[in-house]
Amino acid sequence: MNFELSEDQVAFADMARAFAQKELAPHAAEWDRDAVFPVEVIRKAGELGFCSLYAPESVGGLGLSRLDASIIFEQLSMGCTSTTAYLTIHNMVTWMVADFGKPATIEKWGEKLATGELLGSYCLTEPNSGSDAASLKTTAKRDGDDFLITGSKMFISGAGSTDVLVVMARTGGEGAAGVSAFAVNANADGISYGRKEDKMGWNSQPTRTITFEDVRVPAQQMLGNEGDGFKIAMKGLDGGRINIATCSIGTAQQAINEARAYMLERKQFGKRLADFQALQFRLADMVTELVAARQLVRLAATKLDAEDADAIAYCAMAKRFATDVGFKVCDEALQLYGGNGYIKEYPMERFVRDTRVHRILEGTNEIMRLIISRRVLAEGAAEL
């Protein structure tokens, strides 16, 4: 079992780190303060392949593994958590269109999504259907060669500023088997957008409600077959859990980097903070937990790449553990700054705000515990 990165993975990480340091980190505080969605920077990311990391090469994607993508997203999130989190969502949309779209849909949108020329949003969550995705109420009713989509989606990242929507809607009866997936023009007649939400964090990406009123979508823009939507959504969420866990790890690593530099410089009672053993121990615990979280995320990504039978459970464990650890490490790093950690001159309070939402997204951590416990009760923890 080799835990070392390959030469290619080191090169990917170096490229992502350079981009994060040049294009993301210098602007992250401004984007957060002014709620700027940095479209042009996202398109620059697309030029390097960061908008289509695991999309197939047939549409211009890099065709990388989920492990490779995690290594890249970790470096990017060290520059800007919020913008990287949006990039992970766009990557999922690109992959869904490229892997499940019909030839005409792929030809229409695949390459432009892969390069970042067009941006995507993922539309699953509804006002009364969050973690219980199989109960969604948005409908898609057949009308000749088209479907008419009616309903509403909420908490949609990028909504109002993106070009392509992947929409989960009910084409059949109740439950998971009645859900289908569609690629939809974000500016189609009948689509309206709510106000931009004023959020605690993730401020460099807009979040809005989307309302669909008899939105006409060609049947050929269905992804997969009728009734495949829930399966596609769950496949997306397994990878999404790896991605959001990775964003937590990258942000926590940057929080430790910043806290270390602060401890080496800041003096109290005639000594550097770094010379106080109690603070050294605290830093040691932060690093230990972060390394454990990183290894679990990479193990889960490897299981997902291998299509392991327990990949779902491992993705849930990685998401639960890494998002909890990521938030905890950022909070502890803020504490090491004392009062300075609470003011916006320093990045710690932004790290805390941006990582807090990760414990809610892609299924709350309580849902992750449910997935894990069901697996353990069914077959036993020793088998994992």
CSV table of all heavy atoms in Angstrom, one decimal, residues 305-361:
chain,number,residue,atom,x,y,z
A,305,ASP,N,-13.1,5.3,-7.2
A,305,ASP,CA,-12.5,5.0,-8.5
A,305,ASP,C,-12.5,3.5,-8.8
A,305,ASP,O,-12.7,3.2,-10.0
A,305,ASP,CB,-11.0,5.5,-8.5
A,305,ASP,CG,-10.9,7.0,-8.5
A,305,ASP,OD1,-11.8,7.7,-9.1
A,305,ASP,OD2,-9.9,7.5,-8.0
A,306,ALA,N,-12.4,2.7,-7.8
A,306,ALA,CA,-12.4,1.3,-8.1
A,306,ALA,C,-13.8,0.6,-8.1
A,306,ALA,O,-13.9,-0.6,-8.3
A,306,ALA,CB,-11.6,0.6,-7.0
A,307,GLU,N,-14.8,1.5,-8.0
A,307,GLU,CA,-16.2,1.0,-7.9
A,307,GLU,C,-16.3,-0.1,-6.9
A,307,GLU,O,-17.0,-1.1,-7.1
A,307,GLU,CB,-16.6,0.5,-9.3
A,307,GLU,CG,-16.6,1.6,-10.3
A,307,GLU,CD,-17.1,1.2,-11.7
A,307,GLU,OE1,-17.4,0.0,-11.9
A,307,GLU,OE2,-17.2,2.0,-12.6
A,308,ASP,N,-15.7,0.1,-5.7
A,308,ASP,CA,-15.8,-0.8,-4.6
A,308,ASP,C,-17.2,-0.9,-4.1
A,308,ASP,O,-17.9,0.1,-4.1
A,308,ASP,CB,-14.8,-0.4,-3.5
A,308,ASP,CG,-14.7,-1.4,-2.4
A,308,ASP,OD1,-15.6,-1.4,-1.5
A,308,ASP,OD2,-13.7,-2.1,-2.4
A,309,ALA,N,-17.6,-2.1,-3.6
A,309,ALA,CA,-19.0,-2.3,-3.1
A,309,ALA,C,-19.3,-1.4,-1.9
A,309,ALA,O,-20.4,-1.0,-1.7
A,309,ALA,CB,-19.2,-3.7,-2.8
A,310,ASP,N,-18.2,-1.0,-1.2
A,310,ASP,CA,-18.4,-0.2,0.0
A,310,ASP,C,-18.1,1.3,-0.2
A,310,ASP,O,-17.9,2.1,0.7
A,310,ASP,CB,-17.6,-0.7,1.2
A,310,ASP,CG,-18.2,-1.9,1.8
A,310,ASP,OD1,-19.4,-2.0,1.9
A,310,ASP,OD2,-17.4,-2.9,2.1
A,311,ALA,N,-18.0,1.7,-1.5
A,311,ALA,CA,-17.6,3.1,-1.8
A,311,ALA,C,-18.6,4.1,-1.2
A,311,ALA,O,-18.2,5.1,-0.7
A,311,ALA,CB,-17.5,3.3,-3.3
A,312,ILE,N,-19.9,3.8,-1.2
A,312,ILE,CA,-20.9,4.7,-0.7
A,312,ILE,C,-20.6,5.0,0.8
A,312,ILE,O,-20.6,6.1,1.3
A,312,ILE,CB,-22.3,4.2,-0.9
A,312,ILE,CG1,-22.6,4.2,-2.3
A,312,ILE,CG2,-23.3,5.0,-0.1
A,312,ILE,CD1,-24.0,3.5,-2.7
A,313,ALA,N,-20.3,3.9,1.6
A,313,ALA,CA,-20.1,4.0,3.0
A,313,ALA,C,-18.8,4.8,3.3
A,313,ALA,O,-18.7,5.7,4.2
A,313,ALA,CB,-20.0,2.7,3.7
A,314,TYR,N,-17.7,4.5,2.5
A,314,TYR,CA,-16.5,5.2,2.7
A,314,TYR,C,-16.6,6.7,2.3
A,314,TYR,O,-16.0,7.6,3.0
A,314,TYR,CB,-15.4,4.6,1.8
A,314,TYR,CG,-14.7,3.4,2.5
A,314,TYR,CD1,-15.2,2.1,2.3
A,314,TYR,CD2,-13.7,3.6,3.4
A,314,TYR,CE1,-14.6,1.0,2.9
A,314,TYR,CE2,-13.1,2.5,4.0
A,314,TYR,CZ,-13.5,1.2,3.8
A,314,TYR,OH,-13.0,0.2,4.4
A,315,CYS,N,-17.4,7.1,1.3
A,315,CYS,CA,-17.6,8.5,0.9
A,315,CYS,C,-18.4,9.2,2.1
A,315,CYS,O,-18.1,10.3,2.4
A,315,CYS,CB,-18.4,8.6,-0.4
A,315,CYS,SG,-17.5,8.1,-1.9
A,316,ALA,N,-19.3,8.5,2.7
A,316,ALA,CA,-20.0,9.0,3.8
A,316,ALA,C,-19.1,9.2,5.0
A,316,ALA,O,-19.2,10.3,5.7
A,316,ALA,CB,-21.2,8.1,4.2
A,317,MET,N,-18.3,8.3,5.3
A,317,MET,CA,-17.3,8.4,6.4
A,317,MET,C,-16.4,9.6,6.2
A,317,MET,O,-16.1,10.4,7.1
A,317,MET,CB,-16.6,7.1,6.6
A,317,MET,CG,-17.4,6.0,7.2
A,317,MET,SD,-16.4,4.6,7.7
A,317,MET,CE,-16.1,3.8,6.1
A,318,ALA,N,-15.9,9.7,4.9
A,318,ALA,CA,-14.9,10.7,4.6
A,318,ALA,C,-15.6,12.1,4.8
A,318,ALA,O,-15.0,13.0,5.3
A,318,ALA,CB,-14.4,10.5,3.2
A,319,LYS,N,-16.8,12.2,4.3
A,319,LYS,CA,-17.5,13.5,4.3
A,319,LYS,C,-17.8,13.9,5.8
A,319,LYS,O,-17.6,15.0,6.2
A,319,LYS,CB,-18.8,13.4,3.5
A,319,LYS,CG,-19.4,14.8,3.3
A,319,LYS,CD,-20.4,15.1,4.4
A,319,LYS,CE,-21.0,16.5,4.1
A,319,LYS,NZ,-22.0,16.9,5.1
A,320,ARG,N,-18.3,12.9,6.6
A,320,ARG,CA,-18.6,13.2,8.0
A,320,ARG,C,-17.4,13.6,8.8
A,320,ARG,O,-17.4,14.6,9.5
A,320,ARG,CB,-19.2,11.9,8.6
A,320,ARG,CG,-20.1,12.1,9.8
A,320,ARG,CD,-19.3,12.5,11.1
A,320,ARG,NE,-18.4,11.5,11.5
A,320,ARG,CZ,-17.4,11.7,12.4
A,320,ARG,NH1,-17.2,13.0,12.9
A,320,ARG,NH2,-16.6,10.8,12.8
A,321,PHE,N,-16.3,12.8,8.6
A,321,PHE,CA,-15.1,13.0,9.4
A,321,PHE,C,-14.3,14.3,9.0
A,321,PHE,O,-14.0,15.1,9.8
A,321,PHE,CB,-14.2,11.8,9.3
A,321,PHE,CG,-13.0,11.9,10.3
A,321,PHE,CD1,-13.2,11.9,11.6
A,321,PHE,CD2,-11.7,11.9,9.8
A,321,PHE,CE1,-12.1,12.0,12.5
A,321,PHE,CE2,-10.6,12.0,10.6
A,321,PHE,CZ,-10.8,12.0,12.0
A,322,ALA,N,-14.1,14.4,7.7
A,322,ALA,CA,-13.3,15.5,7.2
A,322,ALA,C,-14.0,16.9,7.3
A,322,ALA,O,-13.3,17.9,7.6
A,322,ALA,CB,-12.9,15.3,5.7
A,323,THR,N,-15.3,16.9,7.2
A,323,THR,CA,-15.9,18.2,7.3
A,323,THR,C,-16.0,18.6,8.8
A,323,THR,O,-15.9,19.8,9.1
A,323,THR,CB,-17.4,18.2,6.7
A,323,THR,OG1,-18.2,17.2,7.3
A,323,THR,CG2,-17.3,18.1,5.2
A,324,ASP,N,-16.2,17.7,9.7
A,324,ASP,CA,-16.1,18.0,11.1
A,324,ASP,C,-14.7,18.4,11.5
A,324,ASP,O,-14.5,19.4,12.2
A,324,ASP,CB,-16.5,16.8,12.0
A,324,ASP,CG,-18.0,16.6,12.0
A,324,ASP,OD1,-18.8,17.5,11.6
A,324,ASP,OD2,-18.4,15.5,12.5
A,325,VAL,N,-13.7,17.7,11.1
A,325,VAL,CA,-12.3,18.0,11.4
A,325,VAL,C,-11.9,19.4,10.8
A,325,VAL,O,-11.3,20.2,11.4
A,325,VAL,CB,-11.3,16.9,10.9
A,325,VAL,CG1,-9.9,17.4,11.0
A,325,VAL,CG2,-11.5,15.7,11.8
A,326,GLY,N,-12.3,19.6,9.5
A,326,GLY,CA,-12.0,20.8,8.9
A,326,GLY,C,-12.5,22.0,9.6
A,326,GLY,O,-11.7,23.0,9.8
A,327,PHE,N,-13.7,22.0,10.0
A,327,PHE,CA,-14.3,23.1,10.8
A,327,PHE,C,-13.6,23.3,12.1
A,327,PHE,O,-13.3,24.4,12.5
A,327,PHE,CB,-15.8,22.9,10.9
A,327,PHE,CG,-16.5,23.9,11.8
A,327,PHE,CD1,-16.7,25.2,11.3
A,327,PHE,CD2,-16.8,23.7,13.1
A,327,PHE,CE1,-17.3,26.2,12.0
A,327,PHE,CE2,-17.4,24.7,13.9
A,327,PHE,CZ,-17.7,25.9,13.3
A,328,LYS,N,-13.4,22.1,12.8
A,328,LYS,CA,-12.7,22.2,14.1
A,328,LYS,C,-11.4,22.8,14.0
A,328,LYS,O,-11.0,23.6,14.8
A,328,LYS,CB,-12.7,20.8,14.7
A,328,LYS,CG,-12.0,20.7,16.0
A,328,LYS,CD,-11.9,19.3,16.5
A,328,LYS,CE,-11.2,19.2,17.9
A,328,LYS,NZ,-11.0,17.8,18.3
A,329,VAL,N,-10.6,22.4,13.0
A,329,VAL,CA,-9.2,22.9,12.9
A,329,VAL,C,-9.3,24.4,12.6
A,329,VAL,O,-8.5,25.2,13.1
A,329,VAL,CB,-8.5,22.2,11.7
A,329,VAL,CG1,-7.2,22.9,11.3
A,329,VAL,CG2,-8.2,20.7,12.2
A,330,CYS,N,-10.2,24.9,11.7
A,330,CYS,CA,-10.3,26.3,11.4
A,330,CYS,C,-10.7,27.1,12.7
A,330,CYS,O,-10.1,28.2,13.0
A,330,CYS,CB,-11.3,26.5,10.3
A,330,CYS,SG,-10.7,26.0,8.7
A,331,ASP,N,-11.6,26.5,13.5
A,331,ASP,CA,-12.0,27.2,14.7
A,331,ASP,C,-10.8,27.2,15.7
A,331,ASP,O,-10.6,28.3,16.4
A,331,ASP,CB,-13.2,26.4,15.3
A,331,ASP,CG,-13.8,27.1,16.5
A,331,ASP,OD1,-14.1,28.3,16.4
A,331,ASP,OD2,-14.0,26.5,17.5
A,332,GLU,N,-10.1,26.2,15.8
A,332,GLU,CA,-8.9,26.2,16.7
A,332,GLU,C,-7.8,27.1,16.2
A,332,GLU,O,-7.2,27.8,17.0
A,332,GLU,CB,-8.3,24.7,16.8
A,332,GLU,CG,-9.2,23.7,17.5
A,332,GLU,CD,-9.1,23.9,19.0
A,332,GLU,OE1,-8.3,24.7,19.5
A,332,GLU,OE2,-10.0,23.3,19.7
A,333,ALA,N,-7.7,27.2,14.9
A,333,ALA,CA,-6.7,28.2,14.4
A,333,ALA,C,-7.1,29.6,14.7
A,333,ALA,O,-6.3,30.5,15.0
A,333,ALA,CB,-6.6,28.0,12.9
A,334,LEU,N,-8.4,29.9,14.6
A,334,LEU,CA,-8.9,31.2,15.0
A,334,LEU,C,-8.6,31.5,16.4
A,334,LEU,O,-8.2,32.6,16.8
A,334,LEU,CB,-10.4,31.3,14.7
A,334,LEU,CG,-11.1,32.6,14.9
A,334,LEU,CD1,-12.3,32.8,14.0
A,334,LEU,CD2,-11.5,32.9,16.4
A,335,GLN,N,-8.8,30.5,17.3
A,335,GLN,CA,-8.5,30.7,18.7
A,335,GLN,C,-7.0,31.0,19.0
A,335,GLN,O,-6.7,31.8,19.9
A,335,GLN,CB,-8.9,29.4,19.5
A,335,GLN,CG,-8.9,29.5,21.0
A,335,GLN,CD,-10.1,30.3,21.5
A,335,GLN,OE1,-11.0,30.5,20.7
A,335,GLN,NE2,-10.0,30.9,22.7
A,336,LEU,N,-6.1,30.5,18.2
A,336,LEU,CA,-4.7,30.8,18.3
A,336,LEU,C,-4.4,32.2,18.0
A,336,LEU,O,-3.4,32.8,18.5
A,336,LEU,CB,-3.9,29.8,17.4
A,336,LEU,CG,-3.8,28.4,17.8
A,336,LEU,CD1,-3.1,27.5,16.8
A,336,LEU,CD2,-3.1,28.2,19.2
A,337,TYR,N,-5.2,32.8,17.2
A,337,TYR,CA,-5.1,34.2,16.9
A,337,TYR,C,-5.6,35.2,18.0
A,337,TYR,O,-5.4,36.4,17.9
A,337,TYR,CB,-5.8,34.6,15.6
A,337,TYR,CG,-5.0,34.4,14.3
A,337,TYR,CD1,-4.6,33.1,13.9
A,337,TYR,CD2,-4.7,35.5,13.5
A,337,TYR,CE1,-3.8,33.0,12.7
A,337,TYR,CE2,-4.0,35.3,12.3
A,337,TYR,CZ,-3.5,34.1,12.0
A,337,TYR,OH,-2.8,33.9,10.8
A,338,GLY,N,-6.3,34.6,18.9
A,338,GLY,CA,-6.9,35.5,19.9
A,338,GLY,C,-8.0,36.4,19.3
A,338,GLY,O,-8.6,36.0,18.4
A,339,GLY,N,-8.0,37.6,19.8
A,339,GLY,CA,-9.0,38.6,19.2
A,339,GLY,C,-8.8,38.9,17.8
A,339,GLY,O,-9.7,39.2,17.1
A,340,ASN,N,-7.5,38.8,17.3
A,340,ASN,CA,-7.2,39.1,15.9
A,340,ASN,C,-7.9,38.1,15.0
A,340,ASN,O,-8.3,38.4,13.8
A,340,ASN,CB,-5.7,39.0,15.7
A,340,ASN,CG,-5.0,40.3,16.2
A,340,ASN,OD1,-5.6,41.3,16.3
A,340,ASN,ND2,-3.7,40.1,16.4
A,341,GLY,N,-8.2,36.9,15.5
A,341,GLY,CA,-8.8,35.9,14.6
A,341,GLY,C,-10.3,36.3,14.3
A,341,GLY,O,-10.8,35.7,13.3
A,342,TYR,N,-10.9,37.2,15.1
A,342,TYR,CA,-12.3,37.5,14.9
A,342,TYR,C,-12.5,38.7,14.0
A,342,TYR,O,-13.6,39.0,13.7
A,342,TYR,CB,-12.9,37.8,16.3
A,342,TYR,CG,-14.4,37.6,16.4
A,342,TYR,CD1,-15.0,36.4,16.3
A,342,TYR,CD2,-15.2,38.8,16.6
A,342,TYR,CE1,-16.3,36.3,16.4
A,342,TYR,CE2,-16.5,38.6,16.7
A,342,TYR,CZ,-17.1,37.4,16.6
A,342,TYR,OH,-18.5,37.2,16.6
A,343,ILE,N,-11.4,39.3,13.6
A,343,ILE,CA,-11.6,40.5,12.7
A,343,ILE,C,-11.2,40.1,11.3
A,343,ILE,O,-10.4,39.2,11.0
A,343,ILE,CB,-10.7,41.7,13.2
A,343,ILE,CG1,-9.2,41.4,13.2
A,343,ILE,CG2,-11.2,42.1,14.6
A,343,ILE,CD1,-8.4,42.6,13.6
A,344,LYS,N,-11.7,40.9,10.3
A,344,LYS,CA,-11.6,40.5,8.9
A,344,LYS,C,-10.2,40.9,8.3
A,344,LYS,O,-10.0,40.6,7.1
A,344,LYS,CB,-12.7,41.1,8.1
A,344,LYS,CG,-14.1,40.4,8.5
A,344,LYS,CD,-15.2,40.8,7.5
A,344,LYS,CE,-16.5,40.1,7.9
A,344,LYS,NZ,-17.6,40.3,7.0
A,345,GLU,N,-9.4,41.5,9.1
A,345,GLU,CA,-8.0,41.8,8.6
A,345,GLU,C,-7.3,40.5,8.4
A,345,GLU,O,-6.4,40.4,7.5
A,345,GLU,CB,-7.3,42.7,9.6
A,345,GLU,CG,-5.9,43.0,9.1
A,345,GLU,CD,-5.1,43.9,10.2
A,345,GLU,OE1,-5.8,44.4,11.1
A,345,GLU,OE2,-3.9,44.0,10.0
A,346,TYR,N,-7.7,39.5,9.1
A,346,TYR,CA,-7.1,38.1,9.0
A,346,TYR,C,-8.1,37.2,8.4
A,346,TYR,O,-9.3,37.3,8.5
A,346,TYR,CB,-6.6,37.7,10.4
A,346,TYR,CG,-5.6,38.6,11.0
A,346,TYR,CD1,-6.0,39.6,11.9
A,346,TYR,CD2,-4.2,38.4,10.8
A,346,TYR,CE1,-5.0,40.5,12.5
A,346,TYR,CE2,-3.3,39.2,11.4
A,346,TYR,CZ,-3.7,40.3,12.2
A,346,TYR,OH,-2.8,41.1,12.8
A,347,PRO,N,-7.6,36.1,7.8
A,347,PRO,CA,-8.6,35.2,7.1
A,347,PRO,C,-9.3,34.2,7.9
A,347,PRO,O,-10.1,33.4,7.4
A,347,PRO,CB,-7.6,34.5,6.1
A,347,PRO,CG,-6.3,34.4,6.8
A,347,PRO,CD,-6.2,35.7,7.6
A,348,MET,N,-8.9,34.1,9.2
A,348,MET,CA,-9.5,33.0,10.0
A,348,MET,C,-11.0,33.0,10.1
A,348,MET,O,-11.6,31.9,10.0
A,348,MET,CB,-8.9,33.0,11.4
A,348,MET,CG,-7.4,32.7,11.5
A,348,MET,SD,-7.1,31.0,10.8
A,348,MET,CE,-5.4,31.2,10.3
A,349,GLU,N,-11.6,34.1,10.3
A,349,GLU,CA,-13.1,34.1,10.5
A,349,GLU,C,-13.7,33.7,9.2
A,349,GLU,O,-14.8,33.0,9.2
A,349,GLU,CB,-13.6,35.5,11.0
A,349,GLU,CG,-13.2,36.7,10.1
A,349,GLU,CD,-14.1,36.9,8.9
A,349,GLU,OE1,-15.3,36.6,9.0
A,349,GLU,OE2,-13.6,37.3,7.8
A,350,ARG,N,-13.1,34.0,8.0
A,350,ARG,CA,-13.7,33.5,6.7
A,350,ARG,C,-13.5,32.0,6.6
A,350,ARG,O,-14.5,31.4,6.1
A,350,ARG,CB,-13.0,34.3,5.6
A,350,ARG,CG,-13.3,33.7,4.2
A,350,ARG,CD,-12.9,34.7,3.1
A,350,ARG,NE,-11.6,35.2,3.3
A,350,ARG,CZ,-10.5,34.6,2.8
A,350,ARG,NH1,-10.6,33.5,2.2
A,350,ARG,NH2,-9.3,35.2,3.0
A,351,PHE,N,-12.4,31.5,7.0
A,351,PHE,CA,-12.2,30.0,7.0
A,351,PHE,C,-13.3,29.3,7.8
A,351,PHE,O,-13.9,28.3,7.4
A,351,PHE,CB,-10.8,29.6,7.5
A,351,PHE,CG,-9.7,30.1,6.7
A,351,PHE,CD1,-8.4,30.1,7.2
A,351,PHE,CD2,-9.8,30.5,5.4
A,351,PHE,CE1,-7.3,30.6,6.5
A,351,PHE,CE2,-8.8,30.9,4.6
A,351,PHE,CZ,-7.5,31.0,5.1
A,352,VAL,N,-13.6,29.9,9.0
A,352,VAL,CA,-14.6,29.3,9.8
A,352,VAL,C,-16.0,29.3,9.2
A,352,VAL,O,-16.7,28.4,9.2
A,352,VAL,CB,-14.6,30.0,11.2
A,352,VAL,CG1,-15.8,29.5,12.0
A,352,VAL,CG2,-13.3,29.6,12.0
A,353,ARG,N,-16.3,30.5,8.6
A,353,ARG,CA,-17.6,30.7,8.0
A,353,ARG,C,-17.8,29.8,6.8
A,353,ARG,O,-18.8,29.2,6.6
A,353,ARG,CB,-17.8,32.2,7.6
A,353,ARG,CG,-18.1,33.1,8.8
A,353,ARG,CD,-18.4,34.5,8.3
A,353,ARG,NE,-17.3,35.2,7.8
A,353,ARG,CZ,-17.2,35.5,6.5
A,353,ARG,NH1,-18.1,35.1,5.6
A,353,ARG,NH2,-16.2,36.2,6.0
A,354,ASP,N,-16.7,29.7,6.0
A,354,ASP,CA,-16.8,28.9,4.7
A,354,ASP,C,-16.9,27.4,5.0
A,354,ASP,O,-17.5,26.7,4.3
A,354,ASP,CB,-15.7,29.2,3.8
A,354,ASP,CG,-15.9,30.5,3.0
A,354,ASP,OD1,-17.0,31.1,3.0
A,354,ASP,OD2,-14.9,31.1,2.5
A,355,THR,N,-16.2,26.9,6.0
A,355,THR,CA,-16.2,25.5,6.3
A,355,THR,C,-17.4,25.0,7.1
A,355,THR,O,-17.7,23.8,7.0
A,355,THR,CB,-14.9,25.0,7.0
A,355,THR,OG1,-14.8,25.8,8.2
A,355,THR,CG2,-13.7,25.2,6.2
A,356,ARG,N,-18.1,25.9,7.7
A,356,ARG,CA,-19.3,25.5,8.5
A,356,ARG,C,-20.3,24.9,7.6
A,356,ARG,O,-21.0,23.9,8.0
A,356,ARG,CB,-19.8,26.7,9.3
A,356,ARG,CG,-21.0,26.4,10.1
A,356,ARG,CD,-20.7,25.3,11.2
A,356,ARG,NE,-21.8,24.9,12.0
A,356,ARG,CZ,-22.6,23.9,11.7
A,356,ARG,NH1,-22.5,23.3,10.5
A,356,ARG,NH2,-23.6,23.6,12.5
A,357,VAL,N,-20.5,25.4,6.4
A,357,VAL,CA,-21.6,24.9,5.6
A,357,VAL,C,-21.3,23.5,5.1
A,357,VAL,O,-22.2,22.7,4.7
A,357,VAL,CB,-21.9,25.9,4.4
A,357,VAL,CG1,-20.8,25.8,3.4
A,357,VAL,CG2,-23.2,25.6,3.8
A,358,HIS,N,-20.0,23.1,5.1
A,358,HIS,CA,-19.7,21.8,4.5
A,358,HIS,C,-20.3,20.6,5.3
A,358,HIS,O,-20.5,19.5,4.8
A,358,HIS,CB,-18.1,21.6,4.5
A,358,HIS,CG,-17.5,22.6,3.6
A,358,HIS,ND1,-16.1,22.7,3.5
A,358,HIS,CD2,-17.9,23.5,2.7
A,358,HIS,CE1,-15.8,23.7,2.7
A,358,HIS,NE2,-16.9,24.2,2.2
A,359,ARG,N,-20.6,20.9,6.6
A,359,ARG,CA,-21.1,19.9,7.4
A,359,ARG,C,-22.6,19.6,7.1
A,359,ARG,O,-23.2,18.7,7.6
A,359,ARG,CB,-21.0,20.2,8.9
A,359,ARG,CG,-19.5,20.4,9.3
A,359,ARG,CD,-19.4,21.0,10.7
A,359,ARG,NE,-19.8,20.0,11.7
A,359,ARG,CZ,-20.0,20.4,13.0
A,359,ARG,NH1,-19.9,21.6,13.4
A,359,ARG,NH2,-20.4,19.4,13.9
A,360,ILE,N,-23.2,20.5,6.3
A,360,ILE,CA,-24.6,20.5,6.0
A,360,ILE,C,-24.8,19.9,4.6
A,360,ILE,O,-25.8,19.2,4.3
A,360,ILE,CB,-25.3,21.9,6.1
A,360,ILE,CG1,-25.1,22.4,7.5
A,360,ILE,CG2,-26.7,21.8,5.6
A,360,ILE,CD1,-25.5,23.9,7.6
A,361,LEU,N,-23.9,20.3,3.7
A,361,LEU,CA,-24.1,20.0,2.2
A,361,LEU,C,-23.8,18.5,1.9
A,361,LEU,O,-23.2,17.8,2.6
A,361,LEU,CB,-23.1,20.9,1.4
A,361,LEU,CG,-23.3,22.4,1.5
A,361,LEU,CD1,-22.2,23.1,0.8
A,361,LEU,CD2,-24.7,22.7,0.9
